[in-house]
């Protein structure tokens, strides 16, 4: 019970911080159908969706979504540059900053999470750690935090170089996070 | 005086090198005219956000200690770490190159690019690449370079040097960017919002990313144990630079190496919070290139295996490491907190307060370390107000570095008979007599005070003699438009000793007030007011002999003189401590000497700690006693009895805030029944002697404008407030800017007795 409450509060802290960083957050029960519906809702009428299969979350969780006709399994370079959304898992989240941690060591996760205007990251509630520094500790997430190559993603890309704050620069213009429990 | 220059004609590049003073003065004029508004807006936003973001880090101070320890150990152990790093990079399948000089680094990178027949390079932001002028070297080989960070893109289009270490084009307002782009590109787009400009630049750069065959990035930190890089950014261009092309070259100074990846932890949180004031920036990458994922192949291109080169640059850093002062600069993580919390920087930015590459308070040490000493001349704009010191995540004493640079620049000056006679007469230590007359004048203020008060009538009258101020200006560089505090007929010491029938205080322990030279010769009545106020709550107050503390000399880079003065003063104060008294210091810049700066000067850590822990600002002591004894301050210092009114505008002194001794004054005044509005500027712009100097008068007043505007806003609609300030130079600045009398808080309290 206590564990459950701690989980609840870290998810809430995470969601609050992520929204502050201009991301949108949705919290779902873990099921292939709900996940598919949530992702498809978020992408709207996009005709092409990039997807990098997960390595931590079960592949089966994404099975229904991956079967959608708009998901491009093996994108050509041109498709990679011209897709509306990119979907990846995040192997961890950070409660204090609302960041999601995306492993960019695999096949295409780096580009899928970077090139499309809308980034969707799916993160498991129990992998949310309190602070960024926890990702360098071997005693957290069973040592899985010590990924070889990864990125803390906090909100969409942004700049203040052109005067006022503008969201959406070279990287995604929007970040949608789906927390699964 | 130099012929007046139309500031609109000065191009930033022409004044990047400040080894001659004219460039510095021209740059100040140019930035005040053209860039100041944008610089102010952007740096002050960073500054506000930093205060908010660091307050959210629960263990901020511990994290800073940890960061400092990591950097100290890493720099001490650098040769070993570099060896380990080389092995790690090679084990990952990358190439490692340690470049002794800028030229060697450029040569290596050019060779790699030529070997790969690279035609187009995309670059992420790297200030180190600016230091070595990498773009020139690459372009000279016929290879196109695209800066992809939007700020760097602006600079590349404008051909200007960076004006800030993390937001290098922050001197550009949106309107000026629009004008620039319209001039340089043919486009029908309106480009008159941030969104449109961003979209325009993004589309141009997308093409570059797709077509590029090499990416060059910097690195914020590098771990020796694994070869991991940490890269902090918001735009996503650095990720593109490292992910898309098959060839990736990362360049960084050797000081970026830390032992292990675990050491990234504290910096990961401190760097973004201290810089832009975000908990984290949009993207923080932790990578061990070469990446295992395949590179992006442009439509129609051919796949190539990934290749990675780490180029580490020495270029003077090993010499800095051996330098007893400059080695501190190697701890710098380039967060920019010291730029954004600096009132002078906020007003002119890095095109004036900066050199060819580096800017701000820490910039002088970097220009001196990687270039030549005279490149650091702009560090004169550091007034040692100390506001940057508590902001620095690795606890670098930035003013101390600048004062030492000043000393070194003084020593480069040719000696002259006039300077050394002037120095001998006024009390400069032997070595400091090469310093310019102006510096020796301000550095030896106590000598002038001593003579001036002895012949007060004559001295004050002579200031009013026709031509006398002109002489002060031409010989000593004291600006004609400033009033130096008139010499009083009697010093604080004399007034104190003439008092009769004073009853000893009733509370233990008593205090001794340090008769600092500024109050003793400049505002003795203020000193007496402070004594009366402390006595009013029952404290026994003694007064120390008037002795210089080293502040004035140190701020002019006269380090020998400062050291001699500090070492003479310390035992005198120590005797009072032995008697069981606490030390009370009226002038905050002198309090900061005892709290912080003596650690550099005394060479006696025991005494220094004792002095630091037992010296206080007068109202800090008063508030402490009042809390402890539950005194009713509204009774003792009833505000309604104050002849100057009860509505106040209070400006605390910069060093007083660094000492954490400012809020107590507001508490006391409010408890006494005053209605207090406080300023929120980092510094009034006077900063000791800085604003008195002829060449900095305009800058000083421009800095002050923020404070004057705050006063005007506080009074809007609700009528005037009495001006109150704790520092003697803040008094001069406020009264110069607003033409009104300014009081010390102790004077107001004393007036209610
Ligand atoms: S000196 Fe300190 S505050 Fe200034 S940029 Fe370096 S790390 Fe930041």
């Amino acid at each position: 019970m206590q564990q459950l409450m701690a989980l609840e509060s870290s998810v809430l802290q995470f969601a609050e911080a992520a929204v502050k960083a201009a991301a949108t957050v949705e919290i779902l029960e873990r099921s292939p159908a709900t996940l598919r519906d949530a992702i498809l809702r978020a992408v709207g009428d996009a005709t092409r969706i990039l997807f990098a299969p997960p390595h931590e979350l079960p592949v089966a969780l994404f099975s229904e979504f991956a079967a959608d006709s708009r998901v491009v399994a093996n994108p050509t370079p041109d498709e990679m540059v011209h897709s509306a959304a990119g979907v990846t898992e995040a192997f961890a989240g950070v409660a204090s900053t609302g960041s999601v941690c995306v492993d960019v060591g695999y096949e295409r996760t780096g580009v899928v999470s970077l090139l499309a205007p809308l980034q969707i990251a799916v993160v498991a509630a129990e992998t949310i750690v309190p602070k960024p520094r926890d990702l360098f500790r071997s005693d957290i997430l069973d040592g899985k935090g010590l990924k070889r190559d990864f990125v803390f993603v906090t909100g969409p890309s942004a700049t203040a170089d052109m005067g006022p704050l503008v969201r959406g620069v070279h990287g995604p213009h929007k970040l949608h996070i789906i927390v699964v429990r | 005086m130099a012929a007046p220059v139309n500031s609109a004609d000065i191009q930033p590049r022409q004044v990047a090198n400040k080894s001659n003073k004219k460039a510095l003065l021209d740059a100040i004029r140019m930035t005040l005219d053209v860039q100041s508004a944008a610089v102010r807006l952007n740096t002050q936003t960073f500054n506000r956000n930093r205060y908010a973001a660091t307050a959210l880090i629960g263990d901020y101070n511990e994290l800073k200690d940890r960061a400092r320890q990591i950097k100290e150990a890493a720099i001490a152990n650098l040769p070993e770490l570099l060896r380990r790093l080389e092995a790690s990079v090679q084990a990952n399948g990358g190439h490692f190159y340690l470049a002794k000089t800028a030229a060697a680094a450029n040569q290596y990178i050019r060779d790699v690019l030529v070997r790969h027949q690279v035609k187009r390079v995309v670059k992420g932001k790297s200030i180190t690449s600016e230091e070595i002028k990498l773009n020139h070297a690459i372009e000279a080989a016929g290879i196109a370079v695209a800066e992809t960070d939007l700020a760097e893109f602006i600079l590349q289009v404008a051909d200007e040097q960076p004006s800030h270490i993390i937001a290098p084009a922050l001197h550009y307002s949106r309107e000026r960017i629009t004008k620039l782009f319209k001039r340089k590109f043919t486009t029908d787009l309106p480009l008159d919002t941030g969104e449109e400009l961003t979209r325009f630049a993004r589309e141009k750069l997308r093409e570059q990313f797709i077509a590029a065959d090499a990416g060059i990035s910097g690195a914020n930190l590098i771990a020796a144990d694994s070869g991991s890089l940490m890269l902090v950014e918001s735009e996503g261009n650095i990720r593109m630079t490292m992910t898309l092309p098959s060839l990736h070259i990362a360049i960084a100074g050797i000081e970026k190496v830390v032992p292990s990846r675990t050491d990234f932890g504290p910096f990961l949180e401190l760097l973004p919070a201290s810089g832009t004031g975000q908990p984290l920036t949009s993207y923080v990458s932790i990578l061990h290139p070469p990446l295992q994922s395949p590179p992006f192949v442009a439509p129609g291109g051919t796949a190539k295996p990934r290749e990675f080169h780490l180029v580490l640059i020495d270029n003077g850093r090993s010499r800095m490491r051996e330098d007893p002062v400059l080695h501190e600069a190697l701890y710098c993580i380039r967060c920019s907190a010291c730029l954004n919390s600096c009132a002078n920087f906020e007003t002119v930015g890095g095109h004036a307060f900066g050199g060819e590459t580096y800017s701000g308070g820490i910039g002088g040490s970097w220009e001196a370390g990687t270039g030549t000493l005279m490149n650091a001349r702009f560090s004169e704009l550091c007034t040692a107000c100390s506001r940057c010191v508590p902001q620095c995540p690795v606890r670098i004493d930035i003013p101390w570095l600048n004062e030492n640079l000043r000393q070194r620049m003084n020593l480069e000056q040719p000696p002259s008979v006039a300077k050394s006679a002037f120095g001998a007469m006024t009390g400069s230590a032997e070595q400091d007599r090469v310093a310019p007359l102006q510096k020796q004048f301000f550095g030896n203020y106590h000598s002038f005070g001593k003579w001036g008060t002895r012949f007060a009538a004559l001295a004050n009258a002579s200031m009013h003699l026709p031509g006398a101020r002109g002489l002060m200006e031409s010989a000593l560089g004291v600006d004609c438009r400033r009033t130096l505090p008139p010499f009083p007929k009697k010093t604080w010491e004399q007034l104190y000793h003439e008092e009769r029938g004073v009853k000893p205080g009733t509370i233990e322990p008593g205090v001794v007030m340090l008769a600092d030279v500024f109050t003793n010769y400049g505002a003795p009545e203020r000193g007496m007011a402070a004594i009366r106020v402390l006595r009013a709550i029952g404290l026994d107050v003694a007064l120390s002999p008037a002795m210089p503390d080293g502040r004035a000399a140190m701020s002019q880079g006269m380090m020998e003189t400062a050291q001699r003065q500090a070492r003479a003063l310390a035992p005198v104060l120590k005797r009072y401590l032995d008697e069981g008294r606490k030390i009370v210091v009226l002038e905050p810049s002198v309090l900061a000497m005892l709290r912080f700066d003596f650690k550099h000067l005394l060479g006696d850590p025991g005494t220094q700690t004792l002095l630091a822990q037992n010296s206080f600002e007068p109202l800090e002591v008063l508030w402490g006693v009042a809390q402890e004894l539950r005194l009713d301050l509204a009774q003792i210092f009833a505000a309604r009895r104050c002849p100057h009114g009860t509505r106040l505008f209070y400006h605390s002194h910069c060093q007083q805030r660094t000492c954490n001794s400012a809020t107590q004054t507001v508490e006391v005044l409010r408890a006494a029944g005053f209605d207090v509005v406080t300023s929120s500027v980092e510094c009034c712009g006077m900063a000791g002697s800085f604003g008195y100097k002829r060449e900095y008068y305009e800058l000083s007043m421009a800095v002050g404008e923020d404070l004057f505007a705050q006063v005007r806003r506080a009074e809007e609609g609700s009528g005037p407030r009495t001006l109150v300030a704790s520092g003697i130079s803040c008094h001069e600045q406020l009264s110069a800017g607003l033409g009104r009398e300014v009081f010390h808080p102790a004077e107001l309290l004393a007036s209610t007795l």
Side-chain angles (χ1 to χ4, degrees), chain B residues 279 600 633:
Chain B
H600 301 299
L633 296 179

Side-chain angles (χ1 to χ4, degrees), chain B residues 17 84 97 102 108 119 158 196 240 260 318-319 363 423 475 485 508 534 648 655 662 698:
Chain B
N17 183 315
R84 255 192 270 163
Y97 179 67
Y108 178 88
K119 295 192 187 56
E196 284 168 15
M240 298 242 189
S260 88
S318 291
R319 232 175 346 184
E508 290 295 321
L534 294 178
L648 313 179
Q655 272 146 339
E698 279 82 13

Side-chain angles (χ1 to χ4, degrees), chain B residues 448 451-465 468 487:
Chain B
F448 295 94
W451 301 334
T453 42
R454 232 167 260 165
F455 309 104
L458 191 64
N460 290 334
S462 74
M463 297 272 197
H464 294 110
L465 284 180
F487 295 119

Side-chain angles (χ1 to χ4, degrees), chain B residues 356-560:
Chain B
E356 309 232 14
T357 310
Y358 297 102
S359 50
I362 193 64
S365 300
W366 276 100
E367 289 281 338
T370 59
T372 63
L373 176 62
M374 283 304 164
N375 279 7
R377 185 189 297 273
F378 63 86
S379 65
E380 281 214 20
L381 298 194
C382 168
T383 64
C385 82
S386 81
R387 289 307 301 141
C388 55
V389 179
Q391 326 303 341
C392 176
V394 284
R395 301 195 185 283
I396 299 176
D397 191 345
I398 298 148
W400 169 248
L401 300 184
N402 289 323
E403 284 153 350
N404 276 278
L405 289 174
R406 211 159 295 167
Q407 177 191 35
R408 291 176 191 187
M409 287 186 266
N410 287 347
L411 292 176
E412 297 266 297
Q413 306 264 340
S416 81
V417 180
K419 285 194 292 189
S420 81
F422 186 78
M425 206 164 67
T426 53
S428 299
E430 191 82 42
Q431 201 198 47
D432 295 330
R433 290 179 198 162
V434 288
L437 290 186
Q438 184 198 50
K439 290 205 162 64
Q440 296 198 55
F441 170 72
F442 285 114
N444 289 315
Y445 174 72
H446 67 285
S447 302
F448 295 94
K450 215 180 273 178
W451 301 334
T453 42
R454 232 167 260 165
F455 309 104
L458 191 64
N460 290 334
S462 74
M463 297 272 197
H464 294 110
L465 284 180
R469 290 311 310 268
L471 191 68
M472 290 278 279
E473 173 152 323
S474 58
L476 302 175
V478 180
D479 195 279
C480 266
R481 289 158 289 187
R482 290 286 186 193
T483 355
L484 284 167
F487 295 119
K489 293 201 181 60
K490 286 186 178 158
T491 63
W492 186 11
E493 265 181 310
Q494 286 166 331
L495 293 177
Y496 173 82
H497 290 295
E498 282 172 16
E499 284 188 304
R500 296 285 167 258
V502 177
K503 286 195 234 73
T506 50
I507 342 179
E508 290 295 321
V511 301
V512 56
M513 287 205 75
L514 166 56
D516 67 89
V517 294
F518 306 103
T519 312
N520 192 58
Y521 302 115
E525 68 301 332
R526 208 172 294 159
M528 291 310 291
I531 291 181
R532 277 205 300 287
V533 165
L534 294 178
R535 281 180 182 152
I537 58 162
L539 281 167
D540 193 66
V541 187
L543 187 71
S544 81
M547 290 173 76
D549 51 277
R551 164 66 65 198
M554 194 168 88
S555 72
Q556 307 305 319
M558 294 162 57
M559 304 313 249
E560 294 281 313

Side-chain angles (χ1 to χ4, degrees), chain B residues 9-29:
Chain B
D9 296 342
I10 304 170
Q11 291 308 309
R13 281 277 186 220
Q14 297 169 310
V15 289
N17 183 315
K18 310 233 173 15
S19 50
N20 85 53
K21 184 139 183 175
K22 183 169 177 303
L24 174 60
L25 301 181
D26 285 349
I28 292 175
R29 236 189 331 265

Side-chain angles (χ1 to χ4, degrees), chain B residues 632-643 645-646 668-669 671-674 748-753:
Chain B
D632 182 3
L633 296 179
Q635 188 74 43
I636 308 174
F637 304 108
R640 70 193 132 73
R641 291 197 299 262
C642 177
T646 58
V668 168
L669 291 172
F674 288 99
L748 284 192
L749 294 175
S751 75
T752 66
L753 293 172

Side-chain angles (χ1 to χ4, degrees), chain A residues 17-50:
Chain A
V19 168
K20 227 169 151 187
T24 47
V25 186
E26 200 172 350
I27 304 168
L28 298 181
E29 293 310 321
R30 192 173 302 203
S31 108
T34 3
L35 182 62
R36 176 202 56 206
D37 293 348
I39 296 176
L40 294 181
R41 243 191 340 267
V43 299
D45 51 10
T47 51
R48 200 179 288 143
I49 308 166
L50 300 175

Side-chain angles (χ1 to χ4, degrees), chain A residues 133, chain B residues 57-69 266 270 393 395:
Chain A
R133 63 186 98 155
Chain B
I57 304 178
D59 53 352
Y60 178 49
N61 281 312
E62 291 75 23
L63 215 54
K64 291 205 290 187
D65 289 335
R66 183 76 200 106
R68 168 87 190 188
Q69 284 162 4
L270 285 170
R395 301 195 185 283

